[in-house]
Amino acid sequence: FIINIQPEQADPFRAALAGAGVKNYDWYPMIRGRLVAINGKAVTPENFTDERAARLVDREFNLSHAADLPDGNRLSGGNWVPDEADAVSVEQGLADTLGLKLGDRLRFDLAGTPVSERMMEISRIVEKPAPEDAPSRLGVSGRYILTPAVFNQIRQQPRGAGGEIQLTDGIAGLLAEETVYAYTYAGK
């Protein structure tokens, strides 16, 4: 595993791999998160008699997302549905150790933010599009955790929809510099 490669390091790193003759490798975005609840019940090391399970829930996990089942992976239960909302796949050994079953709802803490829904990478964001121009059926709820680089993008943006300076335009500019993630959730 090689972790913590920043977006601006991706192309040079891939070039170094190619220069070393490495052609086949997996490349997935990752974020660190701590498992904090299973089916709405708080998780602590004291919940487990198994020593390995207690150690696992007392540390952060490397979490990732893939729309399609990665090559070389196989399912030991359930069905893979590309881009299924609220779905999570867990390695079988980890599921066995923690006593997880199909249908369990897991909640993670990502940098202080509890997340129980699917994380996804943003490829495009648009401020107040006409319905026929909307790039998806997802909406922005106006809650953000952004890197400081967004401020440079905002400073460079012309006035957008409604003659206002739009944060979403700054985020759209940020997409050219770094990966931006979103969490999907069901709401009314």
Side-chain angles (χ1 to χ4, degrees), residues 81-166:
V81 178
D83 284 323
E84 180 180 5
D86 304 339
V88 65
S89 177
V90 177
E91 186 269 328
Q92 185 65 53
L94 179 65
D96 292 343
T97 299
L98 297 180
L100 301 175
K101 303 175 298 307
L102 283 175
D104 283 349
R105 297 217 19 109
L106 308 181
R107 187 171 69 230
F108 293 91
D109 180 299
L110 306 179
T113 302
V115 176
S116 58
E117 308 300 337
R118 188 174 64 83
M119 182 176 72
M120 59 185 268
E121 187 173 329
I122 296 175
S123 60
R124 186 172 172 211
I125 186 168
V126 180
E127 178 71 25
K128 300 174 185 152
E132 63 274 8
D133 296 329
S136 75
R137 295 183 56 176
L138 299 175
V140 176
S141 65
R143 303 294 182 261
Y144 306 96
I145 301 173
L146 300 167
T147 64
V150 76
F151 295 110
N152 291 330
Q153 290 297 324
I154 291 169
R155 285 184 200 98
Q156 298 172 26
Q157 297 302 317
R159 295 189 180 272
E164 301 171 346
I165 296 173
Q166 301 291 337

Side-chain angles (χ1 to χ4, degrees), residues 35-50:
L35 179 64
V36 294
I38 301 172
N39 296 323
K41 198 171 174 186
V43 171
T44 66
E46 293 76 28
N47 297 125
F48 298 91
T49 55
D50 180 85

